[in-house]
Amino acid sequence: RPPRSTLFPYTTLFRSLIRASDVIREEIYGALRRDTGLTEGKFALLMILYDISEPVPLVELSVRIGVSPSTTSIMVTRMLQTEEPLVAKTVDPVDARSALISLTPAGRRLLESAMLPHFNRVSDFAKTLSSAERETMIALLKKLVAGH
């Protein structure tokens, strides 16, 4: 069994990451959900469709979000079932077995109304960090999760 002194830095790191994750989920994504009804996954999906501006195969969309195709399919199905669907699903003309997902006008309106308040919350959350510290944190977090 390793001595406690060698485990302590990792325990502190782990607790700090969990606390940061909890704050982000509550203060940033909690507010997004309360204001718009969007979960972080649905927001990510809509942002990808917004950035690409063309229909995307469901499998590619799942890779870009970082979740399984079945999870992406469930999110898409739920967004298709809203009073004004946020996404559209069509058959891929090249591969009839594949579905293409695109942003609807209602999805675009909801996303555009949510972006500024959301990014302001993200900015407020990170305001205690300098620009260099933010860049370092981004690089370190990417390194930490690479391959997972």
Side-chain angles (χ1 to χ4, degrees):
R1 179 174 158 178
R4 287 181 181 214
S5 60
T6 61
L7 295 176
F8 184 72
Y10 299 104
T11 302
T12 303
L13 170 64
F14 190 68
R15 283 196 328 255
S16 297
L17 288 171
I18 289 171
R19 175 70 180 127
S21 176
D22 289 346
V23 170
I24 290 166
R25 283 218 164 82
E26 177 53 33
E27 293 185 14
I28 296 173
Y29 284 110
L32 178 70
R33 188 173 200 152
R34 286 187 297 276
D35 293 351
T36 66
L38 292 174
T39 62
E40 60 189 281
K42 288 178 184 175
F43 182 77
L45 187 148
L46 293 175
M47 283 296 300
I48 289 165
L49 293 174
Y50 185 82
D51 286 343
I52 295 173
S53 299
E54 62 184 40
V56 179
L58 189 130
V59 172
E60 180 183 334
L61 192 54
S62 70
V63 169
R64 288 177 181 251
I65 298 170
V67 298
S68 70
S70 60
T71 298
T72 304
S73 181
I74 290 167
M75 284 193 292
V76 165
T77 298
R78 289 180 180 158
M79 288 191 279
L80 285 166
Q81 295 172 342
T82 59
E83 188 174 316
E84 282 189 272
L86 304 177
V87 297
K89 182 177 178 181
T90 57
V91 174
D92 186 338
V94 176
D95 181 358
R97 298 168 299 164
S98 181
L100 297 176
I101 311 302
S102 58
L103 196 58
T104 64
R108 179 175 298 279
R109 281 191 307 275
L110 178 62
L111 186 61
E112 288 176 345
S113 71
M115 280 192 290
L116 184 59
H118 177 71
F119 293 131
N120 283 339
R121 282 188 291 273
V122 172
S123 177
D124 285 346
F125 173 74
K127 70 183 173 192
T128 59
L129 301 175
S130 70
S131 179
E133 288 171 326
R134 284 191 302 273
E135 293 303 316
T136 298
M137 179 174 277
I138 290 166
L140 290 172
L141 289 170
K142 283 182 177 180
K143 184 177 181 179
L144 193 61
V145 300
H148 293 279

